[in-house]
Amino acid sequence: MTKRVAILISGGGSNMLALLRDMAAGGHPAQPVLVASNDPAAAGLVKAAAAGVTVAAVDHRPFKGDRAAFEAALLEPILAAEPDILCLAGFMRVLTPAFVGRFAGRMLNIHPSLLPLYPGLHTHQRALDAGDAEAGCTVHEVTPVLDDGPILGQARVPILPGDTAETLAARVLVQEHRLYPAVLRRFAGGDRSPLYL
Ligand code: GRF
């Protein structure tokens, strides 16, 4: 039985598309069953629907910071899709421990830094400010602590002279689109050993 995968996005969804493409490539132990967003205008929703995947949107703004109420609404389409695995892909809302607990051990996230370096935001600028020689991305299991949890994969890129946060982000994004599909393929096949590209 292929694993059922729901993907949560907030924007363009380039990582979500990379996951869809790989699952459509055949021989994959998983299939996409939902793409959901906290932003009804997320461009990724149109792309997911065009790819034939069920989509859903729950605007977080009317909930005015009541995370539990927003998550209760978001859970409806997610539970209806009966996912085995949840993939956060450019999803920009912090999830409560209660929500994370429902998917313990089967929720993944991609973060644009070499965790444990630079959890949180503005990861590329922080790497530049620190004078790091390299940067990268991490896929990890989601736990109640933000951007923590067991590392399932990492990919590295060099930081080059003259790099800005934008040029570095673009270089890392290319690796995100390689790493996340490779990690999901392994994870869905029952292999949780970390992959270093
Ligand atoms: C990516 O840098 C990802 O690492 C971060 O959000 C950015 C945009 O992701 N979480 P996507 O294009 O929406 O997949």
Side-chain angles (χ1 to χ4, degrees):
M1 275 298 279
T2 55
K3 297 289 188 202
R4 298 167 61 83
V5 174
I7 306 172
L8 301 189
I9 66 170
S10 293
S14 70
N15 276 287
M16 171 272 298
L17 282 176
L19 295 176
L20 294 190
R21 268 196 298 270
D22 194 51
M23 285 187 270
H28 198 297
Q31 61 172 321
V33 294
L34 178 71
V35 172
S37 180
N38 63 294
D39 180 354
L45 290 172
V46 172
K47 299 170 190 170
V53 182
T54 304
V55 296
V58 177
D59 191 340
H60 69 274
R61 288 164 298 193
F63 295 95
K64 295 186 174 32
D66 181 345
R67 290 187 191 282
F70 163 64
E71 290 175 357
L74 183 63
L75 266 178
E76 267 184 53
I78 291 174
L79 296 180
E82 296 180 309
D84 301 301
I85 299 170
L86 223 54
C87 287
L88 306 182
F91 187 69
M92 303 309 278
R93 305 302 297 168
V94 173
L95 294 164
T96 63
F99 185 99
V100 172
R102 295 185 74 122
F103 299 97
R106 55 199 185 101
M107 180 156 45
L108 279 55
N109 180 47
I110 186 154
H111 180 76
S113 80
L114 294 172
L115 291 173
L117 288 175
Y118 316 126
L121 297 174
H122 312 302
T123 60
H124 304 305
Q125 191 56 56
R126 290 156 68 191
L128 289 168
D129 294 347
D132 294 349
E134 56 181 14
C137 49
T138 303
V139 176
H140 62 96
E141 280 188 41
V142 176
T143 58
V145 177
L146 185 69
D147 297 334
D148 197 54
I151 288 178
L152 294 170
Q154 286 193 322
R156 294 169 181 272
V157 300
I159 291 180
L160 303 175
D163 259 336
T164 62
E166 290 70 29
T167 59
L168 183 52
R171 191 173 309 125
V172 171
L173 196 60
V174 170
Q175 297 307 315
E176 294 178 32
H177 298 163
R178 293 178 64 226
L179 180 69
Y180 212 172
V183 169
L184 177 60
R185 215 176 245 267
R186 287 156 66 95
F187 189 86
D191 179 357
R192 291 170 184 242
S193 61
L195 171 68
Y196 292 95
L197 292 185

